[in-house]
Amino acid sequence: MASLTEEQKAFLTRKMKTRFRSLDVDRNGFITTKDYDKLVRRWIEYGKLTEEQATSVKKMVQGVCDSLGLKPGMQVSLEQFLKSAAHFQQRGNEATNAGKTAIFAAFFDVIDTNKNGVISLKEFEVYFDAMGVGKQHAKASFDAIDTNGDGSITRDEFEATVFEFFVNTDPAHPSKLFFGPLVD
């Protein structure tokens, strides 16, 4: 990745702080497996998931924890998270992109609870509620991801937008809304 301006670095940091907020479900300043457990419980409850859907959510979330090296009793601070995100953004190579794409695909599959191949606004609202961002913010994010404006999010739209969230340095790019409104 090319050298970034201070403004671009600040913008990426703001986006990563937003992502951190969505993962720090209990808002204690650390990401832990307890946050992921709480996210899963909320997702199951708010989405009224079936046993099969709940198992899928648990499996995906465990995969994310494993990919981050997050084990019970460990905690990731905002500073550690930002360092890890900067490493990903600097590398930007095919191996890193391929690994993230696999996580993004699993993430899509979990949000698409009815398994019809697209994410509805209702499914997206459940996800935002479970993260603690609030479903009142889901529509703006949903519309930013639904690039063709057909009222549903396809796998391609989802994966392209979430990837851009992590690497795009343009403050006007709609991917900035992927995890809700940016934190200050």
Side-chain angles (χ1 to χ4, degrees):
M1 180 174 258
S3 184
L4 299 175
T5 67
E6 290 305 312
E7 291 81 16
Q8 290 170 322
K9 289 178 186 176
F11 179 64
L12 286 173
T13 297
R14 193 168 167 215
K15 289 197 303 182
M16 293 310 104
K17 286 180 177 180
T18 301
R19 180 60 179 141
F20 183 88
R21 175 201 60 202
S22 71
L23 296 173
D24 180 18
V25 177
D26 61 12
R27 305 292 189 255
N28 70 351
F30 296 95
I31 300 170
T32 67
T33 55
K34 290 179 182 178
D35 289 306
Y36 284 100
D37 292 342
K38 190 171 189 175
L39 175 63
V40 167
R41 285 192 310 275
R42 284 181 178 176
W43 211 332
I44 292 167
E45 177 187 345
Y46 301 166
K48 298 176 178 54
L49 303 185
T50 66
E51 185 69 32
E52 182 180 333
Q53 292 167 326
T55 299
S56 177
V57 168
K58 290 175 187 175
K59 190 174 183 180
M60 188 279 295
V61 169
Q62 184 59 54
V64 171
C65 287
D66 292 346
S67 75
L68 296 173
L70 193 58
K71 304 288 183 212
M74 292 178 63
Q75 56 186 23
V76 176
S77 68
L78 175 60
E79 293 75 25
Q80 291 168 312
F81 185 80
L82 292 175
K83 185 184 280 189
S84 176
H87 178 71
F88 166 68
Q89 290 160 344
Q90 289 171 353
R91 285 186 58 197
N93 64 31
E94 291 303 315
T96 301
N97 296 348
K100 292 293 181 188
T101 300
I103 292 171
F104 302 156
F107 190 27
F108 177 92
D109 290 338
V110 170
I111 297 173
D112 176 22
T113 55
N114 67 6
K115 304 299 179 213
N116 68 346
V118 295
I119 297 172
S120 69
L121 177 57
K122 183 179 179 195
E123 288 169 320
F124 204 72
E125 286 174 341
V126 168
Y127 167 63
F128 260 47
D129 240 3
M131 284 192 308
V133 175
K135 67 180 173 186
Q136 72 273 19
H137 298 296
K139 176 84 168 107
S141 293
F142 184 89
D143 289 345
I145 300 166
D146 179 19
T147 56
N148 68 5
D150 69 354
S152 62
I153 299 172
T154 66
R155 181 179 301 279
D156 288 343
E157 289 172 323
F158 183 89
E159 290 179 13
T161 308
V162 71
F163 182 77
E164 286 299 316
F165 175 87
F166 287 102
V167 299
N168 193 299
T169 58
D170 178 4
H173 197 277
S175 64
K176 70 183 179 189
L177 298 173
F178 193 90
F179 294 105
L182 296 180
V183 298
D184 293 324

